[in-house]
Amino acid sequence: MKYLDEYRNPQAISKIADEIARTASRPWTIMEVCGGQTHAIVKFGLEQLLPDDLELVHGPGCPVCVTSLAVIDRALDLAARPEVIFCSFGDMLRVPGSSRDLLSVKATGGDVRAVYSPLQAVKIAEDNPGREVVFFAIGFETTAPANAMAACLARRRGLRNFSLLVSHFLVPPAIEAICTAPDCRVQGFLAAGHVCAIMGYRQYLPLAERFRIPIVVTGFEPLDILEGILLCVRQLEQGHYGVENQYVRTVQEAGNARARQMVEEVFDVDNQDWRGVGAIPDSGLRLRPAYSQFDARLRFPNETTPPADDSGCISGEIMQGRRKPAECPYFAGRCRPEHPLGAPMVSTEGACAAYYRYRKAEIVDEH
Amino acid sequence: MCLGIPGQIEQVTDSAPLERSGVVRFGGICKQVNLAYVPEAGVGDYVIVHVGFAISRVDEAEARRVFDYLAEIGDLEHELGPAAPPAQHKEKGAEQ
Ligand code: SF4
């Protein structure tokens, strides 16, 4: 497929890997923020192509993984209501809440439907005027324009039976939180290309400046990721700390103006709780008051105290780059894709799922 | 759910501002995609599609840039023997 295959060409990949090896004179630690990149790195074995002392640490950029337990439990509650059709991206269905997951709600009679686009949920609401349709609107900046459009179209079409359970996350405040952590080891970042396709990358300039850290906007194919690493290593070697754009074919400096306008119209910034990581100020989105009739939290009020996460899952450590999935005592033992203890074992962008799928044999050997 | 996949616009079917949509081909698979956020993209253009929405048009000239760079640091055809392929794993169909 065009724009995929050529970026997976083995000769081209090893050429960039060689260039990285020639450029790096010292150990460096680089974080790829986005789970999509983590998946590609593990799938294509990119770490094995890098110098031994160039470490990639995996960041928190998996919306399925960071959606808080309280929100998952709220989703489970809503999905179990007889009047509700609960629509969610498929990845979310097996994420464990405090006592069960959406699939088990479905198995006991809940009307839970996997959708690949929020517009499908809008359509389901139009086709089922007698039912309440709730869409689980999770995501980072990349997904926000799509979820915002669903709310906007529902309002235009006068839908009274559609609402969103919003769990949205913003990348720059997470980078800031990672950089201010006292034990931060990260020396450079690969920023998520598709987040920047929407938002542009001006937001990263003050971060690079303040933390004196290079940030390279990077795509998702092996060649993109290695080129992103190369640009980052070059900056590190030269003592630079700027924002660079590797993913020029897709990302413009100002992002996508129309998409940003739609996000602005529907959402405003809010504090957000990240599963395993904790609260980060101004790192989430909520519906603006003009859209409050589409807020599932207001439509189905339900005050419960959020439970404590006592599964033993160390996803927070993993998503802040402090530990690797293989260091989790439950990896491939009590925690497997068939019975996950934590979300990173479920999601396609989850680091644990990627390690399980592509590197389990080697890890289990080491143990 | 978070991936974005490149595909080629085959047809633009609805051009109302918010509902501009069309058919996008990903290898062998075609899907109806909302094109409201890429008003500049038309039939034949490549776009990145995420959860049913085109979020960006792929710039063809920029897409060649990395290959020009690779050509610069050495001719691809004149490797010292075959390069080791990266550890690739089989995967069914398109990812979503
Ligand atoms: S292996 Fe399972 S329990 Fe351990 S961090 Fe990953 S998801 Fe959590």
Side-chain angles (χ1 to χ4, degrees):
Chain A
M1 237 162 88
K2 193 168 172 196
Y3 297 125
L4 286 183
D5 297 337
E6 66 265 45
Y7 294 94
R8 297 179 180 182
N9 174 302
Q11 277 90 6
I13 288 170
S14 67
K15 201 168 273 290
I16 301 258
D18 289 350
E19 188 70 9
I20 293 171
R22 265 196 298 277
T23 309
S25 69
R26 276 171 287 169
W28 297 112
T29 303
I30 296 173
M31 174 181 273
E32 87 280 359
V33 175
C34 171
Q37 290 167 337
T38 304
H39 183 93
I41 287 165
V42 181
K43 174 177 171 183
F44 292 99
L46 301 184
E47 275 170 309
Q48 287 89 309
L49 303 175
L50 298 174
D52 288 343
D53 50 8
L54 203 166
E55 191 191 351
L56 294 181
V57 293
H58 313 313
C62 161
V64 172
C65 305
V66 293
T67 289
S68 74
L69 194 56
V71 175
I72 306 257
D73 281 352
R74 175 65 79 93
L76 295 168
D77 255 24
L78 291 172
R81 286 174 172 252
E83 76 274 29
V84 165
I85 301 175
F86 193 86
C87 299
S88 166
F89 295 120
D91 272 11
M92 216 57 196
L93 301 186
R94 303 202 48 245
V95 173
S98 24
S99 61
R100 52 185 180 158
D101 60 22
L102 283 166
L103 264 194
S104 59
V105 172
K106 186 180 166 78
T108 52
D111 193 343
V112 176
R113 303 189 192 178
V115 294
Y116 74 87
S117 167
L119 297 185
Q120 280 179 296
V122 175
K123 176 82 170 45
I124 290 169
E126 286 175 312
D127 294 345
N128 294 275
R131 307 280 301 279
E132 280 287 340
V133 173
V134 180
F135 173 62
F136 202 172
I138 68 161
F140 278 86
E141 290 93 327
T142 323
T143 320
N147 291 346
M149 178 80 83
C152 179
L153 289 180
R155 191 161 87 151
R156 285 188 159 215
R157 294 177 189 170
L159 292 184
R160 300 188 170 279
N161 63 331
F162 181 74
S163 58
L164 301 104
L165 178 61
V166 176
S167 176
H168 256 286
F169 298 87
L170 301 173
V171 171
I175 291 189
E176 182 179 348
I178 289 165
C179 290
T180 38
D183 54 352
C184 173
R185 298 187 298 126
V186 180
Q187 294 166 297
F189 285 96
L190 306 186
H194 293 152
V195 164
C196 299
I198 303 296
M199 301 303 293
Y201 50 86
R202 289 179 191 145
Q203 290 174 298
Y204 296 93
L205 298 170
L207 288 171
E209 192 66 32
R210 177 172 156 209
F211 297 105
R212 305 173 75 87
I213 199 161
I215 301 178
V216 181
V217 178
T218 302
F220 297 82
E221 292 304 319
L223 205 49
D224 291 320
I225 293 170
L226 288 178
E227 198 190 11
I229 293 169
L230 176 60
L231 295 176
C232 201
V233 168
R234 270 199 195 135
Q235 286 204 44
L236 288 165
E237 291 283 337
Q238 294 166 1
H240 293 169
Y241 43 88
V243 177
E244 253 181 300
N245 183 10
Q246 177 278 328
Y247 201 32
V248 190
R249 66 181 184 280
T250 305
V251 174
Q252 292 175 3
E253 189 180 351
N256 182 324
R258 279 188 191 230
R260 287 173 56 185
Q261 267 162 23
M262 178 62 79
V263 174
E264 272 282 299
E265 144 91 22
V266 173
F267 293 117
D268 67 359
V269 171
D270 195 6
N271 297 332
Q272 180 63 287
D273 215 7
W274 299 54
R275 188 173 192 170
V277 176
I280 303 178
D282 295 335
S283 68
L285 296 174
R286 64 174 165 210
L287 289 165
R288 288 190 183 273
Y291 285 87
S292 59
Q293 81 254 42
F294 299 106
D295 190 337
R297 287 181 175 86
L298 301 175
R299 192 183 294 236
F300 306 95
N302 170 18
E303 282 315 314
T304 47
T305 22
D309 195 343
D310 58 2
S311 64
C313 169
I314 58 158
S315 69
E317 297 284 292
I318 304 236
M319 286 181 299
Q320 291 168 87
R322 297 208 186 96
R323 293 211 253 170
K324 292 274 161 75
E327 294 168 56
C328 172
Y330 304 121
F331 179 84
R334 276 181 58 203
C335 183
R336 297 161 174 268
E338 318 85 79
H339 49 88
L341 288 184
M345 189 53 97
V346 180
S347 163
T348 25
E349 290 105 63
C352 302
Y355 275 73
Y356 189 89
R357 189 154 169 201
Y358 301 116
R359 297 185 61 183
K360 186 182 58 165
E362 141 206 1
I363 290 167
V364 171
D365 273 358
E366 276 167 25
H367 273 177
Chain B
M1 52 134 317
C2 217
L3 297 177
I5 316 269
Q8 189 174 30
I9 301 179
E10 289 221 320
Q11 212 185 325
V12 178
T13 45
D14 189 337
S15 44
L18 287 183
E19 323 229 357
R20 182 171 190 255
S21 69
V23 177
V24 174
R25 173 179 288 279
F26 307 91
I29 308 162
C30 285
K31 283 213 157 180
Q32 191 72 29
V33 166
N34 181 297
L35 301 172
Y37 295 133
V38 289
E40 74 283 13
V43 171
D45 283 337
Y46 277 80
V47 287
I48 299 290
V49 176
H50 170 71
V51 299
F53 285 76
I55 56 168
S56 176
R57 187 174 73 85
V58 180
D59 184 318
E60 300 232 15
E62 290 295 351
R64 279 194 299 271
R65 192 187 45 89
V66 66
F67 300 102
D68 295 345
Y69 167 70
L70 282 166
E72 229 171 73
I73 61 175
D75 188 1
L76 278 180
E77 317 313 322
H78 295 103
E79 281 297 296
L80 306 166
Q88 286 217 22
H89 300 260
K90 279 223 172 89
E91 186 136 81
K92 282 181 254 137
E95 290 172 60
Q96 179 57 53

